[in-house]
Amino acid sequence: MNFSDRRYKFSSHQMNGLLYKVPEISLSQNLNENIEILKSAYNDCSDVVFREFIIGSQTNAVLLYIDGLSNTEEIDQHVLTPLIRMKCLSQEALIEIMKKEITVSDVKEIYTISDVFKQISTGNPIILIEKHSNGISLGLPMWEKRGIEEPSAESVVRGPREGFVETLRVNTSLLRRKIRHPSLKMKQMVIGRLTETQVIVAYMEGIAENTLIQEVTNRLKRIDMDGILESGYIEEMIQDSPYSPFPQILTTERPDVAASSLLEGRVVILVDGTPITLIAPCTFAGMLQAPEDYYNSFYISTFIRWLRYVFFFIALLGPSAYVAVLTYHQEMIPTTLLLTIAKDREQIPFPALIEAFIMEITFEALREAGVRLPKQVGAAVSIVGALVIGQAATAAGLVSSPMVMVVAITGVASFLMPRYATGISIRLLRFPIMILSGMLGLLGVMLGITAIVAHLCSLRSFGVPYLNSTATFKIQNFKDVLIRAPWWVMNTRPEFYSTEEGTLRRQTPGQKPGPSKGGEEG
């Protein structure tokens, strides 16, 4: 019998050395019995505090909280002090009188032992009273949290500088600051048998498809794991094709990106304990769009987007095309350039494919080393390492100078990808295409491209085709794909996200911006 089979064989009130099963029983009117159950559950937990006191000099009670998760100053000032100083009380109306005496905004009653565990684990102290089968939960959580900072992985020259943090309620408040309409709905769920991680499903009522909301909720409910420590756990569990190298869920640390996705009719998933937020569904075109595209003028954004598309193909096919042409199609190279390359490769003992593999793997290793090292030395080590190793490999006759240049351009091209997950996909697919090009030349490159396109055509993200933006030849779908059209042209929502093509702006379709007849802005 393995551990997963044994852990649910425990009795409700005892430990057996492996895992304590939370008892689904009601609170008892006997205070000592409740304390005994809770102390047995929190055995060897030095941070759990049981503060016994007397309410109004006549009723025994206990205050239970976890040190470090609850605000002890507020507990002393607004809970213990007024309760201990209370006058003679009626036992029948004790709970209601206590609610009035406690100067805490969030006060609610609880009735089971499992409710006690859930409340104190979120930082809410619990009061249990003699001769009462219900307790009181106090909304006094307080723990250390990181301040709001600019996301390091999604920095922009122009745009908001705030990013999500690890605290769930801070993240929801950041969204509320962006979208202040009551149509923004946030459903709360708890996932993880042991971690009981809080998850928020956010969407715009009346804009997002009801079927999409229901599908996201159903997939989250089907997750059955011991713990959720990061949103990556959820992403892998709910995506349509988990074996695909392409990301099918958009991730972001930026509240403005999440807010814009909500306005388009997509669903945002916020996970407690991580700043990485999930957005579903997504398309391939969305993976090549950056937040700053919408903050600059449309012609600058269009130019940068086209530059991004060009370097996307260079990052994917650069080394493969070089290997194919150099190995099988030398007639495509100008004579002068071919003689220069032949002179550089005269002392190289490896074929072009092996040479490309050596440089690409070395470059990927240096990139990962730069990520894992401390920030103060990571960038310097990766850059200096690439220069030193490239120069040493060329001087030693292991690789040629043109190959070093091709790999360097390919590496720079991969840095232009606005989404880290997209860059990872390109880096993975670069190697099988290199193998095909080394075996079949340009025919192998074309076979690789055909296989990738066929795979992209078969992908779905919560029912939305991955190439939906480009597969359906409608003008309104291309306003934000190949170009970034002006805002007065992009006046409808994407039809494959929202319930209807609702107007994004109050301006009528086709109307250009400018002052109205009254002299005010239109």
Side-chain angles (χ1 to χ4, degrees):
M1 181 180 296
N2 58 32
F3 178 77
S4 61
D5 294 331
R6 295 171 59 188
R7 60 184 172 187
Y8 296 107
K9 303 298 183 181
F10 307 153
S11 62
S12 296
H13 297 171
Q14 61 183 354
M15 306 282 288
N16 75 344
L18 290 180
L19 185 65
Y20 180 77
K21 183 171 175 60
V22 177
E24 294 291 343
I25 60 175
S26 301
L27 289 168
S28 172
Q29 292 187 355
N30 190 329
L31 180 61
N32 292 329
E33 183 179 342
N34 293 331
I35 294 175
E36 182 181 354
I37 295 174
L38 294 171
K39 284 188 174 181
S40 65
Y42 286 110
N43 184 34
D44 291 335
C45 297
S46 59
D47 56 339
V48 180
V49 178
F50 289 82
R51 171 65 164 88
E52 300 185 27
F53 64 101
I54 300 177
I55 301 175
S57 303
Q58 64 180 22
T59 305
N60 292 327
V62 63
L63 176 68
L64 175 63
Y65 64 93
I66 297 179
D67 190 16
L69 294 185
S70 299
N71 192 329
T72 55
E73 294 183 3
E74 296 290 333
I75 291 175
D76 295 338
Q77 182 178 355
H78 299 287
V79 180
L80 290 177
T81 301
L83 291 183
I84 293 175
R85 294 177 180 178
M86 285 176 66
K87 304 298 182 181
C88 185
L89 303 172
S90 170
Q91 288 293 331
E92 293 75 12
L94 179 59
I95 297 293
E96 296 301 324
I97 297 174
M98 288 177 58
K99 288 182 180 179
K100 296 178 181 179
E101 291 289 334
I102 297 175
T103 55
V104 177
S105 58
D106 185 12
V107 178
K108 59 183 178 182
E109 297 184 34
I110 58 173
Y111 301 93
T112 64
I113 294 293
S114 61
D115 289 339
V116 175
F117 292 143
K118 292 177 182 178
Q119 292 298 319
I120 66 171
S121 63
T122 56
N124 296 329
I126 299 296
I127 298 178
L128 302 179
I129 310 161
E130 182 67 48
K131 298 181 181 179
H132 286 78
S133 58
N134 55 343
I136 298 178
S137 172
L138 309 172
L140 293 173
M142 186 189 73
W143 52 82
E144 295 297 326
K145 57 186 178 183
R146 182 170 61 92
I148 297 175
E149 302 172 351
E150 181 180 3
S152 58
E154 296 178 82
S155 59
V156 294
V157 176
R158 179 176 181 177
R161 295 289 190 265
E162 59 186 12
F164 288 125
V165 296
E166 288 75 12
T167 306
L168 184 62
R169 282 307 168 197
V170 174
N171 295 341
T172 57
S173 67
L174 290 174
L175 278 183
R176 288 288 182 187
R177 287 177 56 190
K178 298 291 184 182
I179 304 177
R180 303 180 183 182
H181 200 274
S183 296
L184 175 57
K185 307 298 180 182
M186 297 186 180
K187 290 184 178 179
Q188 182 167 327
M189 305 175 62
V190 177
I191 304 178
R193 289 190 295 262
L194 300 182
T195 59
E196 295 185 350
T197 305
Q198 296 184 19
V199 176
I200 294 289
V201 179
Y203 61 92
M204 294 298 294
E205 188 177 39
I207 298 179
E209 284 276 5
N210 292 329
T211 53
L212 171 62
I213 300 169
Q214 190 62 40
E215 179 64 22
V216 172
T217 305
N218 290 340
R219 293 191 188 186
L220 291 174
K221 288 180 179 178
R222 288 198 295 266
I223 297 177
D224 186 20
M225 301 176 67
D226 278 346
I228 301 293
L229 302 179
E230 213 275 335
S231 58
Y233 290 40
I234 294 178
E235 180 183 1
E236 190 170 343
M237 294 290 287
I238 65 176
Q239 59 186 353
D240 293 62
S241 302
Y243 296 105
S244 172
F246 291 96
Q248 297 137 61
I249 297 177
L250 186 65
T251 60
T252 183
E253 293 184 61
R254 300 183 61 88
D256 56 328
V257 174
S260 65
S261 300
L262 289 170
L263 295 175
E264 290 179 351
R266 291 190 270 185
V267 175
V268 173
I269 303 173
L270 300 99
V271 182
D272 190 23
T274 176
I276 306 298
T277 299
L278 308 179
I279 301 174
C282 71
T283 59
F284 179 74
M287 290 296 176
L288 295 177
Q289 297 171 355
E292 205 169 6
D293 291 352
Y294 305 96
Y295 304 142
N296 292 317
S297 58
F298 61 92
Y299 52 86
I300 294 177
S301 299
T302 300
F303 169 74
I304 295 175
R305 186 170 292 182
W306 272 99
L307 189 68
R308 199 177 294 137
Y309 284 139
V310 170
F311 276 84
F312 168 81
F313 289 104
I314 292 177
L316 180 64
L317 305 175
S320 305
Y322 178 79
V323 169
V325 170
L326 193 61
T327 307
Y328 295 97
H329 311 282
Q330 295 91 346
E331 67 278 2
M332 298 179 63
I333 306 176
T335 303
T336 305
L337 179 59
L338 182 61
L339 292 175
T340 302
I341 295 176
K343 181 180 178 180
D344 284 335
R345 288 188 49 80
E346 186 177 3
Q347 303 297 327
I348 306 301
F350 305 112
L353 177 61
I354 303 301
E355 186 183 0
F357 256 94
I358 292 174
M359 288 304 301
E360 283 291 340
I361 292 176
T362 303
F363 187 85
E364 294 297 331
L366 287 172
R367 174 154 36 186
E368 283 300 308
V371 172
R372 307 305 166 197
L373 287 171
K375 292 183 179 180
Q376 292 80 1
V377 297
V381 168
S382 59
I383 295 174
V384 173
L387 293 174
V388 171
I389 292 178
Q391 181 64 32
T394 303
L398 297 178
V399 295
S400 61
S401 299
M403 179 61 72
V404 174
M405 185 181 69
V406 169
V407 172
I409 294 175
T410 304
V412 172
S414 64
F415 291 141
L416 264 71
M417 298 302 104
R419 306 293 176 185
Y420 180 75
T422 307
I424 290 289
S425 303
I426 297 173
R427 290 158 60 184
L428 288 176
L429 294 173
R430 190 185 300 156
F431 290 97
I433 297 180
M434 284 171 52
I435 295 175
L436 289 174
S437 67
M439 297 172 59
L440 302 173
L442 290 180
L443 176 61
V445 176
M446 296 306 299
L447 287 175
I449 295 174
T450 304
I452 292 174
V453 173
H455 174 67
L456 290 175
C457 291
S458 67
L459 280 183
R460 296 290 187 274
S461 177
F462 288 85
V464 175
Y466 206 56
L467 296 180
N468 201 325
S469 303
T470 55
T472 56
F473 292 96
K474 296 183 179 180
I475 297 298
Q476 59 266 31
N477 289 345
F478 282 88
K479 295 177 182 178
D480 195 25
V481 178
L482 299 179
I483 64 172
R484 203 282 274 170
W487 277 112
W488 61 85
V489 176
M490 294 195 298
N491 49 19
T492 55
R493 294 187 179 90
E495 60 180 1
F496 41 88
Y497 291 154
S498 56
T499 55
E500 59 181 353
E501 294 184 11
T503 302
L504 284 176
R505 309 172 72 247
R506 294 183 63 185
Q507 186 171 286
T508 57
Q511 177 185 353
K512 293 185 178 180
S516 63
K517 293 182 180 180
E520 297 175 355
E521 292 186 356

